[in-house]
């Protein structure tokens, strides 16, 4: 144990941090990277975040860090001209002693240090409309800060990320190899995907036709990547910038809503009970649009409903494909059918979104109307 701590201290010491390291402990609920909180003494920064990047997911971590740097430099600049008295913070990259954005040890592990956002906390679920509005505000602010940063300034670090037709191709390939063992649940999934095949390219088609422009996106705007002020409860930062890359902001909008408006969560076993909570969606969109109204186009509003429906469907499709191939991508499974149940949760959510198409579209319309 103490050897691990010594190692971590040695790693943290590679970075340009002031003062003495008092403590290093595992931190947060992330499930991609290994995250540690470093506590410092005699330093203006009381804490810094030390992370080992998951290189099974990110094959070019140096490009990830380059993206993060381009973003933080740009957003920090924009924030200086901001005419808002609200607290908003952008995590910054702490360089190594020799001015690099990361440190690679002898075993090839890839480490970085990031400034810690003090007096803030993250949550795994959204329980009320106030927090929902703040989560939407956070995503809107994030998009707003980069709305004038050309997407080509950032590298694509995950090829095919959120390109739903590609996930459908992978599904077809998996199905061709699968022994087709049958169960009512498997049949439900097969049927569910079959009846929606022709619609899965809805966002990609809009991208190709130019109806939706290529922009920068966060890529993982789940609620636990938003930090809320511990005293006021208001959103103060969006963190976890690894998947920041060119894409559609609709991937973010859809992913934020599908993950936030399901109070039973992605991991529930009671998939039949899952529903999309439209009241929460209304608050999220209200917060989002309050910050995004200056760059959203008519077409952007038109595709919001599809983006929510598609991102829920896409995740279900990915879970189901992974179940068919034996849990390769979502490899952290607790039981054999885990990814099947995860797929059922997302498909149930998709269905609930579909049955509420009218109220969801009415919410978007009313919010847009309210701006006039
Ligand atoms: P993952 O990709 O594994 O989700 P994150 O970057 O989201 O990793 O970090 C995991 C958790 O650590 C976050 O949910 C948050 O609680 C905490 N955290 C990460 N970075 C910061 C930061 N700069 N300030 C405060 N807390 C942070
Ligand atoms: Mg995270
Ligand atoms: Mg992450």
């Amino acid at each position: 144990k103490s050897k691990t701590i010594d190692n971590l201290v040695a790693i943290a010491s590679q970075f340009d941090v002031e003062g003495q390291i008092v403590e290093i402990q595992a931190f947060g609920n992330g499930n991609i990277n290994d995250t540690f909180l470093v506590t410092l003494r005699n330093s203006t920064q009381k804490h810094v975040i030390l992370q080992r990047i998951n290189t099974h997911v990110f094959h070019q971590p140096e490009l990830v860090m380059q993206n993060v740097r381009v973003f933080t430099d740009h957003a920090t600049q924009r924030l200086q001209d901001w005419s808002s008295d609200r607290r908003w913070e952008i995590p910054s990259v702490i360089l190594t002693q020799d001015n690099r954005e990361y440190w690679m040890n002898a075993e090839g592990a890839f480490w970085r240090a990031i400034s810690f956002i003090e007096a803030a906390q993250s949550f795994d679920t959204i329980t009320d409309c106030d927090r929902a509005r703040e989560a939407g505000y956070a995503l809107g602010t994030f998009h707003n800060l980069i709305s004038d940063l050309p997407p080509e300034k950032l590298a694509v670090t995950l090829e095919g990320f959120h390109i739903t037709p590609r996930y459908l191709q992978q599904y077809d390939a998996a199905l061709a190899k699968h022994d087709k063992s049958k169960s009512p649940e498997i049949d439900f999934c097969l049927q569910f995907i079959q009846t929606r095949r022709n619609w899965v390219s809805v966002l990609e088609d809009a991208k190709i036709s130019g109806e939706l422009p290529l922009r920068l996106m966060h890529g993982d705007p789940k609620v636990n990547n938003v930090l809320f002020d511990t005293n006021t409860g208001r959103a103060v930062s969006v963190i976890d910038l690894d998947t920041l890359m060119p894409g559609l902001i609709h991937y973010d909008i859809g992913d934020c809503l599908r993950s936030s408006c399901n109070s039973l969560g992605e991991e529930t076993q009671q998939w039949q009970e899952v529903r999309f909570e439209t009241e929460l969606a209304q608050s999220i969109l209200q917060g989002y649009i309050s910050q995004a109204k200056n760059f959203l186009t008519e077409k952007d509003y038109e595709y919001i409903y599809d983006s929510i429906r598609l991102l829920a469907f896409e995740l279900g499709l990915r879970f189901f494909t992974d179940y068919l191939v034996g849990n390769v991508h979502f490899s952290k499974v607790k039981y054999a059918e885990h990814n099947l149940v995860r797929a059922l949760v997302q498909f149930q959510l998709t269905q609930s979104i579909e049955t509420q198409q009218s109220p969801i579209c009415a919410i978007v319309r009313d919010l847009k109307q309210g701006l006039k």
Side-chain angles (χ1 to χ4, degrees):
K1 187 86 189 257
S2 71
K3 189 160 177 289
T4 325
I5 293 294
D6 288 348
N7 279 342
L8 287 169
V9 170
I11 294 161
S13 308
Q14 300 295 323
F15 294 89
D16 188 18
V17 291
E18 276 177 61
Q20 295 103 46
I21 296 164
V22 183
E23 196 181 12
I24 301 185
Q25 55 195 151
F27 191 73
N29 285 338
N31 48 21
I32 301 292
N33 301 304
D34 294 325
T35 304
F36 299 91
L37 180 68
V38 180
T39 306
L40 300 163
R41 188 165 46 209
N42 299 330
S43 168
T44 43
Q45 313 154 296
K46 296 267 171 298
H47 303 95
V48 299
I49 289 282
L50 185 67
Q51 278 182 323
R52 178 168 51 206
I53 303 187
N54 184 332
T55 46
H56 294 291
V57 175
F58 300 101
H59 301 293
Q60 292 172 290
E62 59 290 335
L63 281 185
V64 170
M65 291 312 290
Q66 192 182 302
N67 282 353
V68 173
R69 263 306 271 299
V70 175
F71 161 78
T72 53
D73 288 353
H74 179 86
T76 307
Q77 194 66 42
R78 277 286 304 279
L79 196 60
Q80 279 165 8
D81 314 325
W82 219 243
S83 57
S84 163
D85 46 15
R86 273 191 63 156
R87 177 183 174 201
W88 189 261
E89 290 182 41
I90 297 158
S92 59
V93 177
I94 299 168
L95 299 178
T96 62
Q97 305 285 1
D98 54 357
N99 278 315
R100 289 166 180 270
E101 287 143 1
Y102 55 88
W103 182 72
M104 210 168 77
N105 75 0
E107 289 94 58
F110 206 98
W111 291 85
R112 65 164 167 217
I114 297 171
S115 67
F116 182 71
I117 314 290
E118 299 280 353
Q121 65 191 121
S122 60
F123 299 98
D124 287 323
T125 53
I126 290 195
T127 43
D128 61 85
C129 289
D130 287 335
R131 195 183 291 166
R133 198 174 304 105
E134 286 301 307
Y137 171 92
L139 185 62
T141 301
F142 187 87
H143 283 168
N144 195 1
L145 284 168
I146 48 175
S147 59
D148 61 340
L149 179 59
E152 56 277 9
K153 296 248 161 116
L154 271 75
V156 173
T157 50
L158 291 175
E159 204 57 57
F161 189 44
H162 289 318
I163 314 274
T164 321
R166 290 219 205 168
Y167 295 119
L168 191 65
Q169 282 171 10
Q170 290 166 8
Y171 161 76
D172 286 335
L175 201 58
K177 284 192 209 144
H178 187 65
D179 61 16
K180 306 222 170 43
S181 59
K182 289 275 173 187
S183 75
E185 288 78 16
I186 293 178
D187 280 344
F188 173 83
C189 291
L190 295 172
Q191 196 55 37
F192 198 86
I193 296 164
Q194 185 56 32
T195 51
R196 287 160 184 79
R197 288 189 79 91
N198 297 329
W199 155 80
V200 301
S201 62
V202 58
L203 292 185
E204 292 316 298
D205 291 346
K207 188 165 83 183
I208 291 161
S209 71
E211 285 190 310
L212 295 179
L214 189 74
R215 292 182 173 115
L216 289 174
M217 60 167 180
H218 179 279
D220 190 17
K222 286 186 305 210
V223 65
N224 71 3
N225 288 329
V226 176
L227 295 182
F228 297 82
D229 187 296
T230 352
N231 298 313
T232 64
R234 304 192 84 182
V236 292
S237 189
V238 177
I239 55 163
D240 201 348
L241 307 172
D242 299 328
T243 47
L244 187 77
M245 65 180 104
L248 296 176
I249 57 170
H250 286 70
Y251 303 147
D252 279 353
I253 298 170
D255 207 25
C256 174
L257 283 147
R258 69 122 206 107
S259 69
S260 307
C261 301
N262 161 17
S263 64
L264 290 179
E266 283 171 30
E267 292 296 326
T268 182
Q269 306 252 12
Q270 298 154 280
W271 59 272
Q272 271 129 330
E273 312 299 317
V274 170
R275 62 177 282 269
F276 182 80
E277 280 155 70
T278 300
E279 320 74 58
L280 290 179
Q282 176 171 32
S283 298
I284 293 174
L285 286 169
Q286 190 180 25
Y288 179 76
I289 291 170
S290 77
Q291 295 310 295
K293 56 178 188 271
N294 291 334
F295 62 84
L296 288 182
T297 66
E298 279 296 311
K299 285 287 172 204
D300 285 331
Y301 288 100
E302 280 176 29
Y303 280 99
I304 288 179
Y305 165 75
D306 271 315
S307 73
I308 306 168
R309 180 183 171 205
L310 187 68
L311 271 283
F313 176 80
E314 178 190 284
L315 186 58
L317 177 68
R318 293 175 65 194
F319 281 138
F320 186 57
T321 304
D322 213 41
Y323 167 72
L324 294 177
V325 298
N327 314 316
V328 176
H329 183 80
F330 301 105
S331 57
K332 289 185 188 172
V333 286
K334 298 203 173 95
Y335 52 96
E337 322 277 75
H338 198 158
N339 280 324
L340 175 60
V341 174
R342 285 166 167 163
L344 291 165
V345 169
Q346 294 304 316
F347 288 156
Q348 186 69 28
L349 188 64
T350 307
Q351 212 156 43
S352 173
I353 293 163
E354 290 166 351
T355 52
Q356 298 181 83
Q357 176 172 5
S358 302
I360 294 170
C361 290
I363 286 167
V364 174
R365 200 174 49 234
D366 290 350
L367 287 170
K368 195 180 80 177
Q369 219 64 58
L371 299 170
K372 295 210 175 114

